[in-house]
Amino acid sequence: MKFSILSDSLNKMESTTKRLELTDYLVELFKNTPQDVVGRIVYLLQGKLRPDFEGIELGVAEKLAIKAISKSSGITSKKIEEEYRKTGDLGQAATIILEQKTQTTFLVENITVERVYETLFKIAKLEGNRSQDMKMKYISSLLNDATPLEASFILKILLGTLRLGVAENTLMDAMAIAYTGNKENRTILEKAYNVSSDLGKVAEVVATKSLQGIQEFKIILFNPIRPMLADRVKSEEETIEKMGEKFAAEYKLDGERVQLHVKGEKVVLFSRSLENISQYYPDIIEKIPKSIQADEVILEAEAVAINENTGEFLPFQELMHRRRKYKIEKAVSQYPITVNFFDVLYHNGNSCLELEYQERRKLLEKIVKEDDYSKLVPMTIVKSENDIEDYLENSINSGCEGLMLKMLDKPYQAGARGSHWLKLKREYRNELGDSLDLVVIGGFFGKGRRTGVYGTLLLASYDEDNDTFTSICKVGTGFTDEYLDQLYQILSSKVTIKKNPRIISEMEADVWFEPELVIEVVASEITLSPIHKAAKDEIRKGAGLALRFPKFTGKIRVEKFPEDASNNQEVISLYKGQKKIAHGKSLM
Ligand code: ATP
């Protein structure tokens, strides 16, 4: 397939933000795509090479890309950087540079999607000393044969700056129309996606086997299932209103969610955001098979750090020490954990997703043989506000965050946040009623004790409609020296020359970061703000929302993608929630 077909489509898609137009362009593209290439096209459209859980990252830095453009155009890196500064987009800068060059040379050959994909794949796989040189060679050979427009999209994919604003749902709408003739079939595609987390595979199946193939789509062991999520409730009373007469209450443990895929001695672990995290938990890989009584299972558990002497649960931060590349064995013995199971999604060849909660729990109790390391999450059946309060108290006293409330007769809704599961937390510190997970977009150099690190961070919420990150506050409290060092280490690799175009902020920072890292903060209040951009114009024209007195909680949420951060709808609902309370008080 000619790469120009894809780059023409991408060009059209970049020029619109309207979902219907985007869908039309995608349908047209799918119709022009041979069946055996459609999977690769879907990954490229998402700026990826494979589904996220395979962990294949392109990892090309701006500097290297600039060198490659320089090599294939004969124009100096300095000039290219100047152009980049003007346009703010390296892909676009490359188009301008290469357009000058094509006036004097001829294109050698038509490049294909297959060739671009394969080359990008090779680049992603390169490691070691000479990898930078090799990467540059591969990139400049592609750029040599590409038209300026093609080159611009190759670079955007390489640098991770392709921003089409096509959400997964839009992609599935287009697949449903192109391959089944009916947009309504999206929900069937969505089911397949929720159990495989692999949109490329879903596209291949629907393209080759149409709807029937998708309906027969099964859970694949070692491909992660998208997790079910919970809505939040603020009180025992609200819980009863939403859950009815009788339901399950489980401790909400403060650890890391782990999806375990087990077949005999083979164990693979996925995080909440479906990253393969097996490397951080060699102890789980070793110990779990002994506690599992089944041939093949997919289970969900919360891995929690514990005090080995007392068995007490320790806060989530302790687990952070496990996130290291080297000396993991030392971290395993220094920071012991227990694995606390709460669900079963697949058992000996059969999906368990359609089973009711109470049936799944029964099965789970049969599968997991409890010992000092493997446990079942404490659960009880509750019927009244008193029951809930009692159990919440127990849970908090054991070092947990609160309760998860689950309807007894409901299936597991993969990939959905709904009301069949609720979470009730007791956030003493937090007057807003809940914490927020925000994306670190900028940094300010510290003074005094904080010289040499970022003393204050600029944070953003996620704007789902525009796929951007909108500034919401500066935070400078809650950081111990250890956190400041740790954050400095992590953030140093995310510094960019120019502000990423997905960052929406009027406030200027000393340094800008790739919007990738998510941290948790609490705050005393959400207020209208003339400077910050979160939910701009939603409450009042010209004003955004901002956090007052934000404080870092110590949680660096490495298991979350920036798109999983608190979004502006959540910020608005917290803003409105606090208004109600304030209003209620003033009436009394
Ligand atoms: P939070 O910030 O509250 O952890 P979240 O967005 O990560 O929220 P939610 O679905 O809102 O996810 O809350 C559920 C999370 O709580 C799960 O992802 C899991 O890590 C954790 N958890 C702890 N105990 C349980 C339990 N018993 N059942 C389900 N999830 C649990």
Side-chain angles (χ1 to χ4, degrees):
M1 176 179 175
K2 281 190 196 159
F3 190 73
S4 59
I5 300 179
L6 179 60
S7 57
D8 286 345
S9 269
L10 294 174
N11 197 28
K12 285 192 235 164
M13 284 185 229
E14 266 195 344
S15 65
T16 180
T17 49
K18 295 200 185 90
R19 182 161 169 185
L20 285 180
E21 265 176 39
L22 277 172
T23 313
D24 287 345
Y25 293 139
L26 285 167
V27 172
E28 190 190 10
L29 174 64
F30 286 140
K31 290 197 168 156
N32 288 325
T33 302
Q35 285 178 354
D36 61 329
V37 191
V38 65
R40 282 170 275 184
I41 289 281
V42 167
Y43 299 129
L44 292 176
L45 284 167
Q46 296 180 292
K48 307 176 185 170
L49 294 176
R50 293 288 300 155
D52 287 331
F53 64 84
E54 290 190 14
I56 296 178
E57 287 190 19
L58 275 161
V60 169
E62 283 173 345
K63 287 234 160 78
L64 186 76
I66 291 173
K67 273 195 203 160
I69 302 169
S70 167
K71 190 165 178 224
S72 68
S73 64
I75 291 169
T76 61
S77 295
K78 205 163 158 235
K79 272 224 151 120
I80 298 167
E81 272 183 39
E82 267 169 30
E83 199 60 54
Y84 175 27
R85 261 181 251 278
K86 266 192 251 161
T87 56
D89 178 315
L90 196 48
Q92 211 179 324
T95 311
I96 296 167
I97 300 271
L98 293 168
E99 258 163 8
Q100 294 165 10
K101 176 202 155 197
T102 43
Q103 287 161 6
T104 54
T105 51
F106 294 104
L107 291 179
V108 198
E109 57 180 303
N110 264 328
I111 54 170
T112 60
V113 172
E114 290 88 332
R115 175 177 159 200
V116 172
Y117 183 89
E118 253 168 53
T119 312
L120 296 185
F121 211 89
K122 278 190 207 152
I123 292 172
K125 289 274 170 191
L126 280 172
E127 274 176 14
N129 290 346
R130 291 199 48 235
S131 67
Q132 298 302 314
D133 286 347
M134 291 297 288
K135 280 184 188 177
M136 194 169 80
K137 229 172 98 193
Y138 283 136
I139 301 170
S140 58
S141 97
L142 275 184
L143 297 184
N144 271 340
D145 295 338
T147 64
L149 186 69
E150 288 171 337
S152 122
F153 286 111
I154 291 170
L155 285 166
K156 284 181 188 179
I157 296 171
L158 271 167
L159 296 166
T161 55
L162 183 67
R163 295 286 158 231
L164 302 173
V166 284
E168 287 159 352
N169 282 343
T170 315
L171 273 166
M172 286 189 270
D173 277 348
M175 285 180 212
I177 298 169
Y179 300 118
T180 76
N182 185 355
K183 188 167 151 184
E184 304 297 312
N185 288 327
R186 199 225 26 232
T187 48
I188 303 173
L189 295 179
E190 224 167 351
K191 271 196 174 163
Y193 176 51
N194 284 336
V195 301
S196 66
S197 315
D198 186 345
L199 213 48
K201 179 164 243 150
V202 173
E204 271 166 24
V205 173
V206 71
T208 48
K209 301 188 187 146
S210 194
L211 211 51
Q212 197 185 347
I214 282 292
Q215 275 158 338
E216 288 163 6
F217 206 96
K218 297 240 160 52
I219 292 176
I220 307 163
L221 194 63
F222 305 115
N223 277 25
I225 296 170
R226 300 183 69 225
M228 176 166 177
L229 302 171
D231 263 347
R232 53 164 88 86
V233 273
K234 283 201 170 151
S235 65
E236 286 80 355
E237 187 188 349
E238 191 187 346
T239 311
I240 295 278
E241 263 169 37
K242 293 198 165 147
M243 298 298 261
E245 276 183 7
K246 183 173 138 187
F247 46 91
E250 293 178 358
Y251 282 8
K252 185 176 195 303
L253 292 104
D254 188 14
E256 173 159 28
R257 186 174 191 159
V258 183
Q259 195 179 105
L260 301 93
H261 291 233
V262 188
K263 181 175 185 174
E265 292 294 312
K266 181 171 176 191
V267 182
V268 176
L269 311 177
F270 295 103
S271 69
R272 178 189 184 281
S273 54
L274 312 180
E275 184 196 350
N276 186 328
I277 47 168
S278 308
Q279 57 181 316
Y280 304 123
Y281 295 104
D283 44 339
I284 302 188
I285 309 278
E286 186 201 322
K287 290 183 185 167
I288 282 305
K290 297 183 197 82
S291 332
I292 302 290
Q293 293 165 320
D295 298 331
E296 292 183 354
V297 274
I298 301 177
L299 302 172
E300 277 201 301
E302 192 83 355
V304 188
I306 53 151
N307 176 327
E308 216 168 15
N309 300 324
T310 61
E312 260 177 322
F313 291 131
L314 298 176
F316 172 83
Q317 301 73 301
E318 294 290 309
L319 278 183
M320 274 301 297
H321 299 286
R322 291 266 186 137
R323 293 262 168 180
R324 52 164 83 166
K325 279 206 176 126
Y326 310 103
K327 297 194 181 158
I328 183 75
E329 294 304 331
K330 194 171 164 214
V332 167
S333 65
Q334 252 179 328
Y335 303 97
I337 58 167
T338 56
V339 178
N340 303 271
F341 291 93
F342 62 81
D343 221 321
V344 49
L345 313 185
Y346 175 84
H347 177 236
N348 293 350
N350 299 311
S351 166
C352 301
L353 303 183
E354 296 306 323
L355 297 180
E356 293 179 0
Y357 166 83
Q358 49 198 353
E359 294 167 332
R360 299 201 309 279
R361 174 80 195 195
K362 238 185 245 160
L363 182 59
L364 185 69
E365 288 171 9
K366 273 197 206 142
I367 294 172
V368 176
K369 208 166 72 194
E370 286 192 277
D371 56 27
D372 284 352
Y373 187 79
S374 310
K375 314 221 168 259
L376 290 161
V377 166
M379 187 275 281
T380 190
I381 303 289
V382 287
K383 294 180 178 155
S384 65
E385 280 183 40
N386 273 352
D387 289 352
I388 304 174
E389 206 181 311
D390 254 12
Y391 210 55
L392 179 62
E393 209 62 47
N394 291 346
S395 138
I396 303 273
N397 289 339
S398 319
C400 296
E401 276 188 311
L403 294 180
M404 296 291 296
L405 295 316
K406 301 184 177 179
M407 286 191 186
L408 294 172
D409 58 351
K410 290 293 188 273
Y412 186 95
Q413 289 179 304
R417 190 183 291 278
S419 53
H420 298 170
W421 282 13
L422 299 178
K423 55 178 173 179
L424 175 62
K425 292 198 221 175
R426 186 170 289 176
E427 294 268 4
Y428 292 114
R429 303 153 298 167
N430 182 11
E431 291 145 51
L432 271 186
D434 205 356
S435 52
L436 289 116
D437 292 324
L438 299 172
V439 183
V440 184
I441 54 172
F444 302 86
F445 291 114
K447 296 196 184 82
R449 196 168 56 89
R450 295 185 174 184
T451 307
V453 293
Y454 304 119
T456 304
L457 301 175
L458 182 61
L459 304 181
S461 53
Y462 179 52
D463 179 337
E464 269 187 315
D465 294 337
N466 299 306
D467 193 26
T468 53
F469 300 98
T470 44
S471 79
I472 189 166
C473 68
K474 269 165 85 171
V475 61
T477 49
F479 300 106
T480 61
D481 289 351
E482 198 190 340
Y483 284 138
L484 287 172
D485 283 343
Q486 207 176 4
L487 283 164
Y488 187 76
Q489 301 283 338
I490 302 175
L491 289 168
S492 295
S493 65
K494 302 189 189 298
V495 175
T496 55
I497 303 177
K498 286 241 2 159
K499 181 167 77 176
N500 185 307
R502 292 174 84 198
I503 294 175
I504 311 296
S505 168
E506 209 168 282
M507 195 173 264
E508 285 295 329
D510 291 345
V511 280
W512 294 107
F513 304 119
E514 286 295 354
E516 288 173 350
L517 185 73
V518 179
I519 64 171
E520 189 186 75
V521 298
V522 290
S524 65
E525 201 186 344
I526 300 180
T527 54
L528 287 165
S529 156
I531 302 166
H532 287 292
K533 301 291 180 197
K536 174 125 194 285
D537 297 333
E538 297 274 342
I539 306 287
R540 185 186 300 161
K541 206 129 195 68
L545 292 176
L547 301 190
R548 265 191 96 202
F549 306 127
K551 184 175 170 204
F552 174 55
T553 63
K555 288 191 186 178
I556 301 174
R557 308 230 34 182
V558 280
E559 81 288 14
K560 285 203 167 181
F561 284 122
E563 292 82 3
D564 291 327
S566 302
N567 61 43
N568 284 337
Q569 286 316 315
E570 292 175 71
V571 176
I572 291 172
S573 96
L574 284 172
Y575 174 79
K576 289 187 175 160
Q578 77 186 359
K579 287 224 101 154
K580 251 188 244 153
I581 295 170
H583 188 60
K585 271 184 192 158
S586 69
L587 282 179
M588 283 198 290

